[in-house]
Amino acid sequence: MKTNPIAQLGPSTALVQLLSEHPELAPATWRIDRDGLLSGTVAYNAAFDVRPAMEAYADVLGAELHEQPVAVDGVERLTFHVFATWRDVQVNVWASCAAAAAGSAVAA
């Protein structure tokens, strides 16, 4: 009898391992899509600098932190993304904050 792999099982296990092994990471809202992509959103008050939290995720996941300025309703913000493969699972973690909170000036 042929069995079909459960696409969400690997990411579920990886998430439990990630949280168990690295309790110092900032809390995130996690989602596992039906294809097995593990996504996390680190959410804080918009005036909180999320860069250190996202740097910690990048370090643990062995990935590069991507930072991009954006303007939303005239307010300059920074978005942060980490894309990684961790324990054979695709992981995407993101966050954003006001550019002023991160101490960065966004070029005009």
Side-chain angles (χ1 to χ4, degrees), residues 13 17 19 25 55 73 107:
T13 302
Q17 292 170 345
L19 298 177
L25 292 174
E55 288 172 344
D73 295 329

Side-chain angles (χ1 to χ4, degrees), residues 79-98:
T79 61
F80 300 90
H81 290 90
V82 175
F83 301 102
T85 299
W86 192 77
R87 309 267 166 102
D88 296 325
V89 171
Q90 292 294 102
V91 181
N92 173 15
V93 184
W94 86 275
S96 70
C97 67

Side-chain angles (χ1 to χ4, degrees), residues 10 13-14 16 22 31 36 38 42 55 57 61 86 92 99:
T13 302
V16 169
H22 299 283
R31 177 178 181 269
L38 176 60
V42 177
E55 288 172 344
Y57 272 102
L61 295 171
W86 192 77
N92 173 15

Side-chain angles (χ1 to χ4, degrees), residues 48-68:
F48 184 84
D49 182 4
V50 297
R51 183 182 285 126
M54 293 300 293
E55 288 172 344
Y57 272 102
D59 288 344
V60 165
L61 295 171
E64 183 179 341
L65 177 61
H66 300 274
E67 179 179 328
Q68 181 174 359

